[in-house]
Amino acid sequence: MVGIFDNPQLLLFFIFSGVLVAGALGVVFHPNPISSAVLLVLSFFALAGIYAVIGSVFVATMQVLVYAGAIMVLVVFVLMLLSLHDEGIAKLWNHPIKKVLVLSVVVLLAVVLIHSVREGIPNTDSSPTGYSESGSYEYTLSKSAEGKAGVIAEGNTAVVGSSMFLDYLLPFEIVSILLLAAVLGAVILGKKNLGKKTEEGEP
């Protein structure tokens, strides 16, 4: 039996996974929003490391450029715009109804995670999409009349792009709409807070 220290890929996976879990817990439990944002950046880098370890170099690069870069700039900007303070977060957490709702969501996610780990990955009998028999990255765009592969996208970037815009186009667009709604909601909340400060005479 091969040990964990004899397999560098498995060892790196566990290291990045530990950093990711620790960063995620810090994001949730740290009282300072800016520190939570910094820990979230650390989690994004650890997740990018996991993607790189499993061979998804393009996804790892996009994780660093898009999430750890552009998205986190937006998150920090929104946090500063809303002017969240420690006492406001403590007051929110001490509310009994909201505490019950948060704990209920955490328990539900824990049950789903435990069930997923026990059941394993679904559809393991079906052949994975985006891989050829030799293990290289290939995605069949069209087939010939004889049923053979006609147009094939090769390479990690081409396979990810083809699968995203052909197989997962609807979820991709839904996520885009959700992100747009989150940005608009943050701007509206920020304007409300600025209006309250102006009425109270704060600078």
Side-chain angles (χ1 to χ4, degrees):
M1 182 176 179
V2 180
I4 183 175
F5 294 101
D6 298 329
N7 189 343
Q9 185 177 6
L10 185 61
L11 178 61
L12 288 175
F13 175 79
F14 278 106
I15 292 175
F16 286 126
S17 299
V19 174
L20 177 59
V21 172
L25 292 175
V27 172
V28 175
F29 293 106
H30 202 285
N32 190 347
I34 303 300
S35 299
S36 296
V38 174
L39 290 172
L40 186 58
V41 173
L42 178 63
S43 301
F44 284 155
F45 275 107
L47 184 58
I50 293 176
Y51 285 138
V53 167
I54 64 177
S56 299
V57 180
F58 174 74
V59 179
T61 306
M62 291 299 101
Q63 178 73 24
V64 174
L65 293 178
V66 177
Y67 285 95
I71 297 298
M72 282 312 304
V73 170
L74 178 62
V75 169
V76 174
F77 173 76
V78 170
L79 290 175
M80 293 182 175
L81 182 65
L82 295 179
S83 300
L84 296 177
H85 299 287
D86 294 347
E87 59 269 15
I89 297 177
K91 184 178 180 181
L92 177 67
W93 177 247
N94 291 331
H95 199 283
I97 297 179
K98 293 180 180 179
K99 181 183 292 187
V100 171
L101 290 176
V102 171
L103 292 178
S104 301
V105 172
V106 170
V107 171
L108 178 61
L109 292 177
V111 171
V112 172
L113 179 61
I114 293 174
H115 178 73
S116 301
V117 171
R118 287 182 176 179
E119 294 296 328
I121 303 175
N123 301 324
T124 53
D125 296 333
S126 61
S127 58
T129 304
Y131 292 95
S132 63
E133 295 180 355
S134 60
S136 60
Y137 292 104
E138 290 184 0
Y139 188 94
T140 303
L141 298 176
S142 64
K143 294 184 178 181
S144 60
E146 293 79 10
K148 298 181 180 180
V151 180
I152 299 177
E154 298 181 355
N156 184 255
T157 305
V159 169
V160 171
S162 302
S163 180
M164 178 183 297
F165 291 105
L166 293 177
D167 298 333
Y168 302 100
L169 179 60
L170 180 60
F172 178 78
E173 295 298 334
I174 291 176
V175 170
S176 302
I177 295 174
L178 289 176
L179 289 175
L180 177 61
V183 172
L184 293 177
V187 172
I188 292 173
L189 291 174
K191 286 186 176 181
K192 286 183 178 180
N193 287 343
L194 290 176
K196 291 180 180 179
K197 289 183 178 180
T198 303
E199 292 177 359
E200 295 173 357
E202 295 184 9

